[in-house]
Amino acid sequence: MSTCTPEIIAKKWLEAFNHHDLKDLLALYHEEAVHTSPKLRTLRPETKGQVKGKPALKEWWKDAFKRLPSLQYELDRLTANNSRVFIEYTRKVKGEPDMKVAELLEISKGLIVASYVYHG
């Protein structure tokens, strides 16, 4: 994975997410990765908006894919440098209004070490 650029990692991230492929999604993350999201704060207040490590990431996304089987992310814009990717996308779920989202992925040695979700 270390030969992948941050832009390629972000595109693989979107593809795995849109296929609800936990295995491929988790393969992009470092074992101790941290994920911060307002949805976590709302749906799992005990997390204070943050989960750490692949097991916690797996449980969070497994639950999201189960709750939202039609969940898809439509890429609006992607900006990358050598260690970060800023992704702007539209969250689409059947029966819900579309939501504009931004996500920052921090990458080290070819793996995502932190991700931060931003939305209203």
Side-chain angles (χ1 to χ4, degrees):
M1 191 88 232
S2 61
T3 59
C4 285
T5 66
E7 186 173 358
I8 290 170
I9 291 168
K11 288 177 180 178
K12 287 182 177 190
W13 179 89
L14 279 163
E15 184 177 339
F17 218 99
N18 283 335
H19 286 102
H20 296 196
D21 188 328
L22 278 171
K23 181 181 172 193
D24 285 353
L25 187 59
L26 290 167
L28 299 169
Y29 281 81
H30 184 275
E31 287 296 325
E32 300 299 321
V34 176
H35 178 69
T36 305
S37 169
K39 287 282 186 193
L40 271 163
R41 193 176 306 111
T42 300
L43 297 174
R44 295 191 180 170
E46 72 280 4
T47 68
K48 298 184 172 128
Q50 189 174 85
V51 292
K52 298 177 184 178
K54 279 189 179 184
L57 287 167
K58 180 179 181 179
E59 288 308 309
W60 172 241
W61 288 322
K62 186 175 167 183
D63 178 63
F65 296 152
K66 182 179 177 183
R67 281 184 297 107
L68 307 166
S70 67
L71 177 64
Q72 292 289 290
Y73 293 160
E74 182 179 286
L75 180 63
D76 296 324
R77 185 177 303 142
L78 189 147
T79 307
N81 66 19
N82 63 351
S83 63
R84 289 188 177 107
V85 181
F86 190 75
I87 308 168
E88 295 173 77
Y89 56 88
T90 302
R91 177 188 179 270
K92 295 184 170 282
V93 174
K94 188 176 181 176
E96 294 184 13
D98 290 353
M99 178 189 297
K100 292 292 187 183
V101 181
E103 188 148 350
L104 175 66
L105 306 178
E106 291 186 3
I107 298 167
S108 178
K109 298 178 184 172
L111 293 172
I112 300 166
V113 294
S115 53
Y116 306 91
V117 179
Y118 304 90
H119 56 74

